[in-house]
Amino acid sequence: MQLYLRSRLPGQPPSLLQYLAEMLGSLLPCQPHAALHLRGASSSLRPVGEGLADLVGNTPLIRIRSLSEQTGCEILAKAEFLNPGGSVKDRVALEIIQEALAGGQLEPGGLVTEGTVGSTGVSLAMCAAAYGCRAFIAMPDDAAIEKAQMLQALGAEVQRLRPVSITHPDHFVNVARRRAAEQPNAIFADQFENPANFRAHLKTGEEIWEQTGGRVDAFVSGAGTGGTIAGVSCYLKQRRPGVRVFLIDPPGSSLYNKARERVTRGVMYTREEAEGKRLRHPFDTITEGIGINRLTQNFTRAQVDHAFKGTDREAVEMAQYLLRNEGLFVGSSAAMNCVGAVKAARRLGPGHTVVTVLCDGGHRHLSKFHSPAYLAEHGLTPTETGASLDFVA
C-alpha cells in the first residue's frame, strides 16, 4: 500500500491508484474527530499502567442489544470477564491482598489460602504471585475440572474435597481456614466474611454510576459471597436512593427467601434459618459461584429491594441465547444474571435502564455448563432458537 500512496515526483503522471488515493484524501478530512470510525473497540486507551494491579477493574459497560430490544429497556452489562484473571473476582482478590499487605498481616513470600469453587482461587493465585506470595486453594471436587487445572497452572496448591455442609470441619472453606492458622505469614482470604470484598465492589458501583452518567434505574445480580450486590447496591443507592436492586437466586439457594423476609417483614431471616441451624448439604444446581444457604457478613450489607428465582433451564437457554444473538460466551452465573435482568426489565416496564454483571466467560465451564453431554444427562439440552425470550418465566 505504501508503494502506491506515496507522493509522486514533479512532472510524473499519476497512476490510477495514485489518482484515486489523492481524490479520497481530498474528500476525507484528516482531523481525528472526522476520521472514519467503524463500530468496535474503543479508540480511547489507558495510560501506561503499573503491573497487574492497574489491569483490574474499569471494565467496559456494554449494551446487550437483543435483550434490550426484546424488553424495551436498556439492558447493560459490566464485562467483568475482561479482567486479567477472567472474572469479577479479580477485584476482590486484589483488594484482600493489598489490604493485608498494607496492614502487616501478610508479607512477600507469605501464603494466601481460600476455599472456593474456582474463580476466586484463580484471581487469588494470580494476584498473590504479582505480590511475591503463594496460594493454597481448597475446592469441592464437583466443581468444573478446568478450574482446578487453571489454578495448578498458576502455581497454586490445590486440594479437592468431597462436598459437605459448611458446619463440617472438612468443608473446603474450613480446610483453607485451618491451613492459614497453621503457619506464620499466612492469611485466610475469607471472601465470604471479609469486608474487603464489599469495599472492592464499592468501586464497581462507582464505575457503573460514571459509565451510565447516573442514568441507572436498576441493578441485578446473583450472590454467593454477596460482595458484588452489597458493594454496588450501597454505592448506587448512596448516589440515588431510587435505584432498584434485584437479587436473582438459583435453585436450592435460600437467599431468595432471606431477601424477601427482609423486604416484607423487616428481618433478614427467620430464627430457624440462622447460620448454623440449617445442616443441609450444598444444593443441586448447574450454576457455580452464586447461591448459598447461609448469610454472610458481605450479603448482610446488601440493599435488596426484590428477589427473583431463576432455574437451571433459564440459565442454560440464556447462555445459548447470548452466544447466538450477541456472540457473548459467558459462564453460568453471568447467564443467570441476564435472566434476572430480563425479569427486572419486565417488572419495571419499558424505558428503564437495567445493569447487571457478566461475571466470567464460558471457557471455565466446558466440562459442565457448556458440555452437551453433561446437559443431556441432566435433561437440560437447550432447545430454543431465535431472539424470543419466552424461556424466561
Side-chain angles (χ1 to χ4, degrees):
M1 216 31 137
Q2 186 178 8
L3 174 67
Y4 296 109
L5 298 184
R6 66 188 180 190
S7 298
R8 65 181 187 274
L9 296 175
Q12 180 183 14
S15 69
L16 177 59
L17 284 175
Q18 284 174 326
Y19 177 77
L20 291 173
E22 290 171 7
M23 288 294 294
L24 286 171
S26 67
L27 293 174
L28 293 175
C30 61
Q31 291 84 355
H33 68 272
L36 180 64
H37 179 67
L38 299 179
R39 294 186 66 85
S42 170
S43 60
S44 61
L45 297 175
R46 296 182 182 180
V48 175
E50 185 62 39
L52 180 79
D54 280 352
L55 294 176
V56 176
N58 292 309
T59 53
L61 184 67
I62 61 173
R63 179 178 184 264
I64 303 183
R65 175 191 51 78
S66 54
L67 298 185
S68 299
E69 291 177 354
Q70 290 293 315
T71 62
C73 287
E74 287 294 286
I75 295 186
L76 312 178
K78 271 296 242 178
E80 292 298 300
F81 58 86
L82 294 180
N83 279 302
S87 84
V88 67
K89 295 298 186 179
D90 285 6
R91 296 175 182 266
V92 179
L94 184 64
E95 186 74 18
I96 288 173
I97 290 175
Q98 286 183 334
E99 288 190 13
L101 289 167
Q105 293 91 12
L106 182 68
E107 296 178 356
L111 179 69
V112 180
T113 76
E114 183 57 290
T116 170
V117 297
S119 289
T120 302
V122 169
S123 299
L124 283 170
M126 181 186 67
C127 291
Y131 286 95
C133 297
R134 298 167 292 119
F136 166 81
I137 306 299
M139 64 190 306
D141 62 10
D142 62 349
I145 186 62
E146 54 268 28
K147 292 187 177 182
Q149 293 169 338
M150 174 71 78
L151 287 165
Q152 291 167 338
L154 289 169
E157 180 185 351
V158 180
Q159 185 173 358
R160 303 182 76 206
L161 299 156
R162 179 177 61 89
V164 293
S165 168
I166 185 64
T167 60
H168 195 286
D170 289 334
H171 186 277
F172 60 94
V173 171
N174 297 329
V175 169
R177 190 194 313 272
R178 283 199 306 273
R179 181 63 179 270
E182 292 169 353
Q183 56 189 285
N185 194 19
I187 64 163
F188 172 52
D190 199 13
Q191 61 166 330
F192 288 88
E193 312 301 334
N194 193 332
N197 186 343
F198 162 79
R199 288 191 286 269
H201 288 296
L202 290 172
K203 179 64 165 57
T204 312
E206 181 182 7
E207 291 174 20
I208 291 171
W209 181 263
E210 292 178 353
Q211 288 170 311
T212 60
R215 294 184 293 274
V216 52
D217 298 300
F219 176 72
V220 183
S221 178
T225 67
T228 302
I229 198 168
V232 173
S233 66
C234 285
Y235 185 87
L236 293 179
K237 283 181 174 288
Q238 181 184 33
R239 298 303 301 263
R240 186 158 75 87
V243 174
R244 302 275 290 171
V245 176
F246 298 91
L247 170 76
I248 179 70
D249 214 26
S253 174
S254 65
L255 292 182
Y256 169 85
N257 295 326
K258 297 179 190 299
R260 288 184 63 83
E261 280 287 326
R262 181 170 71 174
V263 171
T264 60
R265 300 185 184 181
V267 296
M268 192 64 183
Y269 54 93
T270 65
R271 181 176 302 173
E272 290 75 18
E273 288 183 318
E275 185 173 345
K277 299 294 181 65
R278 298 188 65 175
L279 303 180
R280 60 175 296 180
H281 289 278
F283 46 84
D284 183 19
T285 176
I286 196 172
T287 60
E288 294 183 2
I290 56 173
I292 193 171
N293 275 336
R294 63 185 179 90
L295 280 178
T296 68
Q297 288 300 311
N298 282 296
F299 187 76
T300 58
R301 299 170 184 261
Q303 299 183 35
V304 178
D305 296 297
H306 188 77
F308 302 113
K309 278 186 174 293
T311 67
D312 284 348
R313 166 64 63 182
E314 288 174 321
V316 168
E317 294 288 1
M318 179 59 76
Q320 292 303 307
Y321 180 96
L322 293 173
L323 184 58
R324 182 171 65 249
N325 291 285
E326 301 288 339
L328 291 171
F329 185 50
V330 301
S332 57
S333 54
M336 189 66 84
N337 280 352
C338 288
V339 169
V342 170
K343 291 175 184 277
R346 289 173 175 172
R347 183 178 180 88
L348 294 173
H352 293 87
T353 298
V354 179
V355 179
T356 190
V357 176
L358 301 180
C359 316
D360 67 357
H363 62 284
R364 292 183 183 169
H365 303 263
L366 298 179
S367 64
K368 293 180 68 176
F369 188 69
H370 284 293
S371 165
Y374 184 89
L375 294 177
E377 180 183 347
H378 290 81
L380 291 172
T381 299
T383 59
E384 298 292 326
T385 59
S388 171
L389 290 171
D390 289 345
F391 61 88
V392 179

